[in-house]
Amino acid sequence: MASKEMVVNVEVLNLSIDENNLLYEWQGQAQMMLDYGIHSADAQQAEDEAKAELAVVVAELDSFIREQPDRYGMTKVTESTGANAIVIQEEHIAATKALNNARHEARVLKAAVDAIGHRKSALQGMTDLFLRQWYADPKSAEQWARRIAPFSIV
């Protein structure tokens, strides 16, 4: 199972927000989330395939070692000697490295998707502030009461 190479450069992901162009920023948000979500799913699939490939390599090496233990420097194969012989084989090392690389790629892309989600939250907050002309109203009941008290009719 050869996994496809991921061609996503997370370093070029622009998470900055132009506060003077919120409409434009909102227009690109959904597409950015979709694009990176798809890349993240592809990376997860590549990780799953690498994990399955490692399992196949382990099974094949276990079978080879049990059939011809003398080729691997053993006279008798036990569970622990067989497992120890498997992890030092080049095929196992390469498959483990491929799995680790796929896991790293999947984690990086998940972090990118999370960051885009945080960008959306920031956009929501900035839009709320923009609608209030960049002025935040008091949030607590006491603050609100103090703000409207001068205008109250008693």
Side-chain angles (χ1 to χ4, degrees):
M1 285 183 227
S3 65
K4 56 186 169 186
E5 267 307 300
M6 299 302 297
V7 190
V8 177
N9 188 354
V10 179
E11 294 171 3
V12 299
L13 176 60
N14 184 6
L15 296 172
S16 64
I17 299 171
D18 180 3
E19 65 186 44
N20 296 315
N21 215 348
L22 291 175
L23 180 61
Y24 171 79
E25 296 292 347
W26 272 114
Q27 288 171 341
Q29 178 67 23
Q31 188 63 48
M32 186 186 302
M33 182 63 106
L34 176 64
D35 292 344
Y36 278 88
I38 290 170
H39 291 308
S40 180
D42 290 344
Q44 181 63 48
Q45 182 179 14
E47 178 185 351
D48 293 343
E49 290 172 0
K51 186 175 181 181
E53 181 65 26
L54 177 61
V56 169
V57 167
V58 168
E60 289 174 347
L61 285 172
D62 185 58
S63 177
F64 295 149
I65 290 169
R66 290 185 185 283
E67 287 174 5
Q68 299 176 348
D70 52 330
R71 267 185 85 189
Y72 298 92
M74 292 184 260
T75 54
K76 180 181 175 187
V77 180
T78 64
E79 286 299 316
S80 65
T81 59
N84 290 338
I86 289 171
V87 298
I88 61 172
Q89 301 306 310
E90 288 299 319
E91 299 94 333
H92 186 275
I93 293 168
T96 301
K97 186 171 184 159
L99 174 59
N100 290 338
N101 289 339
R103 279 186 179 152
H104 174 74
E105 184 75 18
R107 289 175 182 152
V108 167
L109 284 165
K110 182 179 181 330
V113 170
D114 290 346
I116 294 168
H118 289 293
R119 182 181 188 272
K120 178 185 175 193
S121 297
L123 268 170
Q124 287 171 328
M126 292 175 85
T127 301
D128 289 345
L129 286 173
F130 174 76
L131 293 173
R132 295 184 205 148
Q133 285 128 24
W134 298 100
Y135 178 78
D137 288 331
K139 296 288 183 194
S140 73
E142 290 174 5
Q143 288 174 325
W144 183 252
R146 276 184 272 164
R147 182 179 162 108
I148 63 168
F151 304 106
S152 298
I153 300 175
V154 181

mmCIF file with all atom_site columns, all heavy atoms in Angstrom, residues 129 132 135-150:
data_model
loop_
_atom_site.group_PDB
_atom_site.id
_atom_site.type_symbol
_atom_site.label_atom_id
_atom_site.label_alt_id
_atom_site.label_comp_id
_atom_site.label_asym_id
_atom_site.label_entity_id
_atom_site.label_seq_id
_atom_site.pdbx_PDB_ins_code
_atom_site.Cartn_x
_atom_site.Cartn_y
_atom_site.Cartn_z
_atom_site.occupancy
_atom_site.B_iso_or_equiv
_atom_site.pdbx_formal_charge
_atom_site.auth_seq_id
_atom_site.auth_comp_id
_atom_site.auth_asym_id
_atom_site.auth_atom_id
_atom_site.pdbx_PDB_model_num
ATOM 1   N N   . LEU A 1 129 ? -17.856 43.390 17.366 1.00 0.00 ? 129 LEU A N   1
ATOM 2   C CA  . LEU A 1 129 ? -17.320 44.703 17.747 1.00 0.00 ? 129 LEU A CA  1
ATOM 3   C C   . LEU A 1 129 ? -17.512 45.731 16.631 1.00 0.00 ? 129 LEU A C   1
ATOM 4   O O   . LEU A 1 129 ? -17.842 46.892 16.896 1.00 0.00 ? 129 LEU A O   1
ATOM 5   C CB  . LEU A 1 129 ? -15.835 44.595 18.102 1.00 0.00 ? 129 LEU A CB  1
ATOM 6   C CG  . LEU A 1 129 ? -15.533 43.946 19.445 1.00 0.00 ? 129 LEU A CG  1
ATOM 7   C CD1 . LEU A 1 129 ? -14.033 43.748 19.589 1.00 0.00 ? 129 LEU A CD1 1
ATOM 8   C CD2 . LEU A 1 129 ? -16.079 44.771 20.584 1.00 0.00 ? 129 LEU A CD2 1
ATOM 9   N N   . ARG A 1 132 ? -20.829 47.199 16.609 1.00 0.00 ? 132 ARG A N   1
ATOM 10  C CA  . ARG A 1 132 ? -20.992 48.167 17.707 1.00 0.00 ? 132 ARG A CA  1
ATOM 11  C C   . ARG A 1 132 ? -20.030 49.336 17.539 1.00 0.00 ? 132 ARG A C   1
ATOM 12  O O   . ARG A 1 132 ? -19.738 50.038 18.496 1.00 0.00 ? 132 ARG A O   1
ATOM 13  C CB  . ARG A 1 132 ? -20.718 47.481 19.038 1.00 0.00 ? 132 ARG A CB  1
ATOM 14  C CG  . ARG A 1 132 ? -21.704 46.417 19.370 1.00 0.00 ? 132 ARG A CG  1
ATOM 15  C CD  . ARG A 1 132 ? -21.402 45.852 20.749 1.00 0.00 ? 132 ARG A CD  1
ATOM 16  N NE  . ARG A 1 132 ? -21.930 44.502 20.805 1.00 0.00 ? 132 ARG A NE  1
ATOM 17  C CZ  . ARG A 1 132 ? -21.407 43.532 21.490 1.00 0.00 ? 132 ARG A CZ  1
ATOM 18  N NH1 . ARG A 1 132 ? -20.319 43.725 22.187 1.00 0.00 ? 132 ARG A NH1 1
ATOM 19  N NH2 . ARG A 1 132 ? -21.960 42.348 21.497 1.00 0.00 ? 132 ARG A NH2 1
ATOM 20  N N   . TYR A 1 135 ? -16.917 49.316 19.818 1.00 0.00 ? 135 TYR A N   1
ATOM 21  C CA  . TYR A 1 135 ? -17.096 49.670 21.223 1.00 0.00 ? 135 TYR A CA  1
ATOM 22  C C   . TYR A 1 135 ? -17.857 48.538 21.878 1.00 0.00 ? 135 TYR A C   1
ATOM 23  O O   . TYR A 1 135 ? -18.934 48.168 21.422 1.00 0.00 ? 135 TYR A O   1
ATOM 24  C CB  . TYR A 1 135 ? -17.880 50.990 21.363 1.00 0.00 ? 135 TYR A CB  1
ATOM 25  C CG  . TYR A 1 135 ? -18.130 51.358 22.797 1.00 0.00 ? 135 TYR A CG  1
ATOM 26  C CD1 . TYR A 1 135 ? -17.129 51.925 23.562 1.00 0.00 ? 135 TYR A CD1 1
ATOM 27  C CD2 . TYR A 1 135 ? -19.368 51.111 23.379 1.00 0.00 ? 135 TYR A CD2 1
ATOM 28  C CE1 . TYR A 1 135 ? -17.346 52.255 24.884 1.00 0.00 ? 135 TYR A CE1 1
ATOM 29  C CE2 . TYR A 1 135 ? -19.591 51.433 24.696 1.00 0.00 ? 135 TYR A CE2 1
ATOM 30  C CZ  . TYR A 1 135 ? -18.588 52.011 25.445 1.00 0.00 ? 135 TYR A CZ  1
ATOM 31  O OH  . TYR A 1 135 ? -18.809 52.309 26.755 1.00 0.00 ? 135 TYR A OH  1
ATOM 32  N N   . ALA A 1 136 ? -17.322 48.007 22.945 1.00 0.00 ? 136 ALA A N   1
ATOM 33  C CA  . ALA A 1 136 ? -17.970 46.898 23.637 1.00 0.00 ? 136 ALA A CA  1
ATOM 34  C C   . ALA A 1 136 ? -18.895 47.429 24.717 1.00 0.00 ? 136 ALA A C   1
ATOM 35  O O   . ALA A 1 136 ? -18.487 48.241 25.549 1.00 0.00 ? 136 ALA A O   1
ATOM 36  C CB  . ALA A 1 136 ? -16.920 45.972 24.247 1.00 0.00 ? 136 ALA A CB  1
ATOM 37  N N   . ASP A 1 137 ? -20.136 46.989 24.682 1.00 0.00 ? 137 ASP A N   1
ATOM 38  C CA  . ASP A 1 137 ? -21.087 47.361 25.731 1.00 0.00 ? 137 ASP A CA  1
ATOM 39  C C   . ASP A 1 137 ? -20.775 46.577 26.995 1.00 0.00 ? 137 ASP A C   1
ATOM 40  O O   . ASP A 1 137 ? -20.219 45.486 26.936 1.00 0.00 ? 137 ASP A O   1
ATOM 41  C CB  . ASP A 1 137 ? -22.518 47.039 25.282 1.00 0.00 ? 137 ASP A CB  1
ATOM 42  C CG  . ASP A 1 137 ? -23.002 47.989 24.210 1.00 0.00 ? 137 ASP A CG  1
ATOM 43  O OD1 . ASP A 1 137 ? -22.542 49.149 24.206 1.00 0.00 ? 137 ASP A OD1 1
ATOM 44  O OD2 . ASP A 1 137 ? -23.834 47.570 23.378 1.00 0.00 ? 137 ASP A OD2 1
ATOM 45  N N   . PRO A 1 138 ? -21.187 47.108 28.140 1.00 0.00 ? 138 PRO A N   1
ATOM 46  C CA  . PRO A 1 138 ? -20.985 46.371 29.387 1.00 0.00 ? 138 PRO A CA  1
ATOM 47  C C   . PRO A 1 138 ? -21.734 45.045 29.340 1.00 0.00 ? 138 PRO A C   1
ATOM 48  O O   . PRO A 1 138 ? -22.823 44.972 28.772 1.00 0.00 ? 138 PRO A O   1
ATOM 49  C CB  . PRO A 1 138 ? -21.570 47.290 30.454 1.00 0.00 ? 138 PRO A CB  1
ATOM 50  C CG  . PRO A 1 138 ? -21.803 48.591 29.812 1.00 0.00 ? 138 PRO A CG  1
ATOM 51  C CD  . PRO A 1 138 ? -21.816 48.393 28.341 1.00 0.00 ? 138 PRO A CD  1
ATOM 52  N N   . LYS A 1 139 ? -21.162 44.044 29.959 1.00 0.00 ? 139 LYS A N   1
ATOM 53  C CA  . LYS A 1 139 ? -21.759 42.721 29.921 1.00 0.00 ? 139 LYS A CA  1
ATOM 54  C C   . LYS A 1 139 ? -22.575 42.384 31.167 1.00 0.00 ? 139 LYS A C   1
ATOM 55  O O   . LYS A 1 139 ? -23.589 41.747 31.074 1.00 0.00 ? 139 LYS A O   1
ATOM 56  C CB  . LYS A 1 139 ? -20.675 41.649 29.741 1.00 0.00 ? 139 LYS A CB  1
ATOM 57  C CG  . LYS A 1 139 ? -19.934 41.740 28.433 1.00 0.00 ? 139 LYS A CG  1
ATOM 58  C CD  . LYS A 1 139 ? -20.810 41.312 27.305 1.00 0.00 ? 139 LYS A CD  1
ATOM 59  C CE  . LYS A 1 139 ? -20.023 41.340 26.010 1.00 0.00 ? 139 LYS A CE  1
ATOM 60  N NZ  . LYS A 1 139 ? -20.825 41.258 24.844 1.00 0.00 ? 139 LYS A NZ  1
ATOM 61  N N   . SER A 1 140 ? -22.106 42.776 32.346 1.00 0.00 ? 140 SER A N   1
ATOM 62  C CA  . SER A 1 140 ? -22.817 42.390 33.561 1.00 0.00 ? 140 SER A CA  1
ATOM 63  C C   . SER A 1 140 ? -24.041 43.281 33.764 1.00 0.00 ? 140 SER A C   1
ATOM 64  O O   . SER A 1 140 ? -24.127 44.397 33.253 1.00 0.00 ? 140 SER A O   1
ATOM 65  C CB  . SER A 1 140 ? -21.897 42.490 34.783 1.00 0.00 ? 140 SER A CB  1
ATOM 66  O OG  . SER A 1 140 ? -21.683 43.843 35.115 1.00 0.00 ? 140 SER A OG  1
ATOM 67  N N   . ALA A 1 141 ? -24.991 42.791 34.542 1.00 0.00 ? 141 ALA A N   1
ATOM 68  C CA  . ALA A 1 141 ? -26.220 43.545 34.813 1.00 0.00 ? 141 ALA A CA  1
ATOM 69  C C   . ALA A 1 141 ? -25.909 44.844 35.548 1.00 0.00 ? 141 ALA A C   1
ATOM 70  O O   . ALA A 1 141 ? -26.518 45.886 35.274 1.00 0.00 ? 141 ALA A O   1
ATOM 71  C CB  . ALA A 1 141 ? -27.186 42.682 35.621 1.00 0.00 ? 141 ALA A CB  1
ATOM 72  N N   . GLU A 1 142 ? -24.943 44.785 36.474 1.00 0.00 ? 142 GLU A N   1
ATOM 73  C CA  . GLU A 1 142 ? -24.566 45.991 37.217 1.00 0.00 ? 142 GLU A CA  1
ATOM 74  C C   . GLU A 1 142 ? -23.964 47.036 36.292 1.00 0.00 ? 142 GLU A C   1
ATOM 75  O O   . GLU A 1 142 ? -24.300 48.222 36.378 1.00 0.00 ? 142 GLU A O   1
ATOM 76  C CB  . GLU A 1 142 ? -23.555 45.655 38.315 1.00 0.00 ? 142 GLU A CB  1
ATOM 77  C CG  . GLU A 1 142 ? -24.136 44.855 39.461 1.00 0.00 ? 142 GLU A CG  1
ATOM 78  C CD  . GLU A 1 142 ? -23.048 44.429 40.448 1.00 0.00 ? 142 GLU A CD  1
ATOM 79  O OE1 . GLU A 1 142 ? -21.875 44.829 40.286 1.00 0.00 ? 142 GLU A OE1 1
ATOM 80  O OE2 . GLU A 1 142 ? -23.396 43.689 41.377 1.00 0.00 ? 142 GLU A OE2 1
ATOM 81  N N   . GLN A 1 143 ? -23.102 46.613 35.400 1.00 0.00 ? 143 GLN A N   1
ATOM 82  C CA  . GLN A 1 143 ? -22.487 47.556 34.459 1.00 0.00 ? 143 GLN A CA  1
ATOM 83  C C   . GLN A 1 143 ? -23.563 48.163 33.547 1.00 0.00 ? 143 GLN A C   1
ATOM 84  O O   . GLN A 1 143 ? -23.552 49.355 33.263 1.00 0.00 ? 143 GLN A O   1
ATOM 85  C CB  . GLN A 1 143 ? -21.426 46.857 33.603 1.00 0.00 ? 143 GLN A CB  1
ATOM 86  C CG  . GLN A 1 143 ? -20.177 46.508 34.363 1.00 0.00 ? 143 GLN A CG  1
ATOM 87  C CD  . GLN A 1 143 ? -19.222 45.694 33.495 1.00 0.00 ? 143 GLN A CD  1
ATOM 88  O OE1 . GLN A 1 143 ? -19.659 44.890 32.679 1.00 0.00 ? 143 GLN A OE1 1
ATOM 89  N NE2 . GLN A 1 143 ? -17.931 45.925 33.684 1.00 0.00 ? 143 GLN A NE2 1
ATOM 90  N N   . TRP A 1 144 ? -24.490 47.340 33.104 1.00 0.00 ? 144 TRP A N   1
ATOM 91  C CA  . TRP A 1 144 ? -25.545 47.826 32.237 1.00 0.00 ? 144 TRP A CA  1
ATOM 92  C C   . TRP A 1 144 ? -26.440 48.814 32.987 1.00 0.00 ? 144 TRP A C   1
ATOM 93  O O   . TRP A 1 144 ? -26.828 49.848 32.451 1.00 0.00 ? 144 TRP A O   1
ATOM 94  C CB  . TRP A 1 144 ? -26.356 46.662 31.687 1.00 0.00 ? 144 TRP A CB  1
ATOM 95  C CG  . TRP A 1 144 ? -27.405 47.102 30.729 1.00 0.00 ? 144 TRP A CG  1
ATOM 96  C CD1 . TRP A 1 144 ? -28.738 47.133 30.936 1.00 0.00 ? 144 TRP A CD1 1
ATOM 97  C CD2 . TRP A 1 144 ? -27.201 47.607 29.416 1.00 0.00 ? 144 TRP A CD2 1
ATOM 98  N NE1 . TRP A 1 144 ? -29.382 47.620 29.840 1.00 0.00 ? 144 TRP A NE1 1
ATOM 99  C CE2 . TRP A 1 144 ? -28.449 47.924 28.873 1.00 0.00 ? 144 TRP A CE2 1
ATOM 100 C CE3 . TRP A 1 144 ? -26.072 47.836 28.634 1.00 0.00 ? 144 TRP A CE3 1
ATOM 101 C CZ2 . TRP A 1 144 ? -28.628 48.444 27.612 1.00 0.00 ? 144 TRP A CZ2 1
ATOM 102 C CZ3 . TRP A 1 144 ? -26.256 48.350 27.371 1.00 0.00 ? 144 TRP A CZ3 1
ATOM 103 C CH2 . TRP A 1 144 ? -27.515 48.648 26.869 1.00 0.00 ? 144 TRP A CH2 1
ATOM 104 N N   . ALA A 1 145 ? -26.772 48.513 34.255 1.00 0.00 ? 145 ALA A N   1
ATOM 105 C CA  . ALA A 1 145 ? -27.621 49.396 35.050 1.00 0.00 ? 145 ALA A CA  1
ATOM 106 C C   . ALA A 1 145 ? -26.945 50.747 35.252 1.00 0.00 ? 145 ALA A C   1
ATOM 107 O O   . ALA A 1 145 ? -27.602 51.799 35.177 1.00 0.00 ? 145 ALA A O   1
ATOM 108 C CB  . ALA A 1 145 ? -27.932 48.747 36.399 1.00 0.00 ? 145 ALA A CB  1
ATOM 109 N N   . ARG A 1 146 ? -25.626 50.738 35.512 1.00 0.00 ? 146 ARG A N   1
ATOM 110 C CA  . ARG A 1 146 ? -24.906 51.999 35.667 1.00 0.00 ? 146 ARG A CA  1
ATOM 111 C C   . ARG A 1 146 ? -24.880 52.789 34.365 1.00 0.00 ? 146 ARG A C   1
ATOM 112 O O   . ARG A 1 146 ? -24.938 54.011 34.364 1.00 0.00 ? 146 ARG A O   1
ATOM 113 C CB  . ARG A 1 146 ? -23.469 51.741 36.144 1.00 0.00 ? 146 ARG A CB  1
ATOM 114 C CG  . ARG A 1 146 ? -23.388 51.571 37.654 1.00 0.00 ? 146 ARG A CG  1
ATOM 115 C CD  . ARG A 1 146 ? -21.973 51.431 38.087 1.00 0.00 ? 146 ARG A CD  1
ATOM 116 N NE  . ARG A 1 146 ? -21.720 49.983 37.982 1.00 0.00 ? 146 ARG A NE  1
ATOM 117 C CZ  . ARG A 1 146 ? -20.545 49.420 37.968 1.00 0.00 ? 146 ARG A CZ  1
ATOM 118 N NH1 . ARG A 1 146 ? -19.460 50.141 38.014 1.00 0.00 ? 146 ARG A NH1 1
ATOM 119 N NH2 . ARG A 1 146 ? -20.423 48.139 37.891 1.00 0.00 ? 146 ARG A NH2 1
ATOM 120 N N   . ARG A 1 147 ? -24.843 52.094 33.263 1.00 0.00 ? 147 ARG A N   1
ATOM 121 C CA  . ARG A 1 147 ? -24.789 52.780 31.976 1.00 0.00 ? 147 ARG A CA  1
ATOM 122 C C   . ARG A 1 147 ? -26.117 53.455 31.636 1.00 0.00 ? 147 ARG A C   1
ATOM 123 O O   . ARG A 1 147 ? -26.138 54.548 31.099 1.00 0.00 ? 147 ARG A O   1
ATOM 124 C CB  . ARG A 1 147 ? -24.409 51.791 30.880 1.00 0.00 ? 147 ARG A CB  1
ATOM 125 C CG  . ARG A 1 147 ? -24.286 52.457 29.536 1.00 0.00 ? 147 ARG A CG  1
ATOM 126 C CD  . ARG A 1 147 ? -23.886 51.432 28.491 1.00 0.00 ? 147 ARG A CD  1
ATOM 127 N NE  . ARG A 1 147 ? -24.188 51.966 27.185 1.00 0.00 ? 147 ARG A NE  1
ATOM 128 C CZ  . ARG A 1 147 ? -23.293 52.379 26.328 1.00 0.00 ? 147 ARG A CZ  1
ATOM 129 N NH1 . ARG A 1 147 ? -22.026 52.295 26.622 1.00 0.00 ? 147 ARG A NH1 1
ATOM 130 N NH2 . ARG A 1 147 ? -23.640 52.855 25.158 1.00 0.00 ? 147 ARG A NH2 1
ATOM 131 N N   . ILE A 1 148 ? -27.236 52.819 31.971 1.00 0.00 ? 148 ILE A N   1
ATOM 132 C CA  . ILE A 1 148 ? -28.526 53.410 31.619 1.00 0.00 ? 148 ILE A CA  1
ATOM 133 C C   . ILE A 1 148 ? -29.138 54.227 32.745 1.00 0.00 ? 148 ILE A C   1
ATOM 134 O O   . ILE A 1 148 ? -30.147 54.892 32.536 1.00 0.00 ? 148 ILE A O   1
ATOM 135 C CB  . ILE A 1 148 ? -29.534 52.321 31.139 1.00 0.00 ? 148 ILE A CB  1
ATOM 136 C CG1 . ILE A 1 148 ? -29.845 51.316 32.253 1.00 0.00 ? 148 ILE A CG1 1
ATOM 137 C CG2 . ILE A 1 148 ? -29.025 51.623 29.906 1.00 0.00 ? 148 ILE A CG2 1
ATOM 138 C CD1 . ILE A 1 148 ? -31.022 50.430 31.939 1.00 0.00 ? 148 ILE A CD1 1
ATOM 139 N N   . ALA A 1 149 ? -28.557 54.194 33.937 1.00 0.00 ? 149 ALA A N   1
ATOM 140 C CA  . ALA A 1 149 ? -29.111 54.924 35.087 1.00 0.00 ? 149 ALA A CA  1
ATOM 141 C C   . ALA A 1 149 ? -29.326 56.406 34.806 1.00 0.00 ? 149 ALA A C   1
ATOM 142 O O   . ALA A 1 149 ? -30.363 56.973 35.190 1.00 0.00 ? 149 ALA A O   1
ATOM 143 C CB  . ALA A 1 149 ? -28.234 54.729 36.320 1.00 0.00 ? 149 ALA A CB  1
ATOM 144 N N   . PRO A 1 150 ? -28.404 57.101 34.163 1.00 0.00 ? 150 PRO A N   1
ATOM 145 C CA  . PRO A 1 150 ? -28.630 58.544 33.924 1.00 0.00 ? 150 PRO A CA  1
ATOM 146 C C   . PRO A 1 150 ? -29.854 58.827 33.048 1.00 0.00 ? 150 PRO A C   1
ATOM 147 O O   . PRO A 1 150 ? -30.405 59.914 33.073 1.00 0.00 ? 150 PRO A O   1
ATOM 148 C CB  . PRO A 1 150 ? -27.356 59.001 33.218 1.00 0.00 ? 150 PRO A CB  1
ATOM 149 C CG  . PRO A 1 150 ? -26.343 57.969 33.526 1.00 0.00 ? 150 PRO A CG  1
ATOM 150 C CD  . PRO A 1 150 ? -27.086 56.707 33.765 1.00 0.00 ? 150 PRO A CD  1
#
